[in-house]
Amino acid sequence: KAGVTQTPRYLIKTRGQQVTLSCSPISGHRSVSWYQQTPGQGLQFLFEYFSETQRNKGNFPGRFSGRQFSNSRSEMNVSTLELGDSALYLCASSVDRVGLETQYFGPGTRLLVL
Amino acid sequence: TQLLEQSPQFLSIQEGENLTVYCNSSSVFSSLQWYRQEPGEGPVLLVTVVTGGEVKKLKRLTFQFGDARKDSSLHITAAQPGDTGLYLCAEGLTGGGNKLTFGTGTQLKVEL
């Protein structure tokens, strides 16, 4: 089975721009979660999507949004980019059985905001 | 908000040495996972522990969950350069979806 794929792998934007990141989960996985990783704050949960609906949300401003498509692929969008949005954005997918899940992470998209 | 503190923050050791990494919480864990992240990759799950006092072994790695479920440790025996990476503990929801709260991380470097 192919793993979680994220595109693009690297991205450079300027302040004020917006960006869209894409995540393709493992085939058959219905839950997709997004995380932000920075040296200062570590790995932080952004949001989770299941069946095209946001099921859980972290403590990030409304500039961060996401969506999930019927094939479980997910996108996240960051509007009005700030320097502090420079980070590695990770996507994780899971099957979503009852009980504690194993989440499988993609390699991430590294975003640099200038 | 659950706070997960890991110690040490950085660890640089020689091949063959033993080491222990700690994860402590401000409140009781519902469940705990340990991940390893290598450069350029996402975290990979190593183990899940759910029961207080639980001990799990994965080759040279031994994971222990505290009796009170507020702390956990990861012990590596005879470390190898391939063990180099960022070790993260994380608490997960046990229902209502997938949301992980990660610890602050321990960056391990094992040198020849």
Side-chain angles (χ1 to χ4, degrees), chain A residues 9 31 33 35 37 42-45 48 55-59 88 90 94 96 99-108, chain B residues 1 31-33 35 37 40-45 48-50 86 88 92-94 96-103:
Chain A
R9 290 294 310 277
S31 168
S33 300
Y35 294 82
Q37 187 172 28
L43 246 170
Q44 293 184 292
F45 174 80
E48 180 210 6
R55 183 162 63 176
N56 284 291
K57 188 177 187 304
N59 297 321
L88 180 67
L90 293 159
S94 60
D96 205 61
L100 189 60
E101 283 278 355
T102 295
Q103 291 198 51
Y104 297 86
F105 284 82
Chain B
T1 303
S31 62
L32 186 77
Q33 296 182 324
Y35 288 81
Q37 184 178 19
E41 299 180 11
V44 175
L45 178 66
T48 300
V49 286
V50 296
L86 178 66
L88 296 154
L93 294 175
T94 52
N98 297 292
K99 174 184 176 180
L100 292 173
T101 300
F102 281 91

Side-chain angles (χ1 to χ4, degrees), chain A residues 7-91:
Chain A
T7 57
R9 290 294 310 277
Y10 303 93
L11 206 49
I12 299 175
K13 292 285 188 179
T14 56
R15 278 183 301 174
Q17 288 187 310
Q18 75 165 11
V19 67
T20 299
L21 311 181
S22 181
C23 172
S24 292
I26 293 172
S27 177
H29 286 195
R30 299 190 301 167
S31 168
V32 174
S33 300
W34 288 89
Y35 294 82
Q36 181 196 65
Q37 187 172 28
T38 61
Q41 299 299 317
L43 246 170
Q44 293 184 292
F45 174 80
L46 281 157
F47 30 66
E48 180 210 6
Y49 285 86
F50 176 75
S51 291
E52 302 178 62
T53 301
Q54 188 180 86
R55 183 162 63 176
N56 284 291
K57 188 177 187 304
N59 297 321
F60 279 81
R63 298 186 298 106
F64 292 82
S65 63
R67 59 178 176 168
Q68 186 180 35
F69 302 94
S70 58
N71 62 357
S72 294
R73 192 177 69 85
S74 178
E75 290 181 346
M76 69 163 281
N77 183 275
V78 187
S79 63
T80 318
L81 284 166
E82 300 177 359
L83 296 179
D85 296 333
S86 294
L88 180 67
Y89 290 89
L90 293 159
C91 150

Side-chain angles (χ1 to χ4, degrees), chain B residues 5-104:
Chain B
E5 293 288 335
Q6 289 186 238
S7 62
Q9 188 177 359
F10 299 99
L11 196 53
S12 182
I13 61 172
Q14 298 296 120
E15 182 180 17
E17 292 184 15
N18 301 330
L19 66 116
T20 302
V21 174
Y22 300 93
C23 174
N24 292 283
S25 171
S26 57
S27 55
V28 174
F29 288 113
S30 55
S31 62
L32 186 77
Q33 296 182 324
W34 283 94
Y35 288 81
R36 179 171 64 211
Q37 184 178 19
E38 297 183 23
E41 299 180 11
V44 175
L45 178 66
L46 296 173
V47 77
T48 300
V49 286
V50 296
T51 305
E54 187 174 3
V55 177
K56 284 192 174 180
K57 292 191 175 184
L58 183 65
K59 296 182 180 179
R60 295 175 294 102
L61 278 59
T62 301
F63 304 85
Q64 189 156 4
F65 202 13
D67 291 339
R69 294 166 57 200
K70 292 184 71 174
D71 60 275
S72 180
S73 64
L74 157 59
H75 181 80
I76 301 179
T77 303
Q80 299 176 358
D83 296 326
T84 293
L86 178 66
Y87 287 82
L88 296 154
C89 63
E91 182 184 25
L93 294 175
T94 52
N98 297 292
K99 174 184 176 180
L100 292 173
T101 300
F102 281 91
T104 50

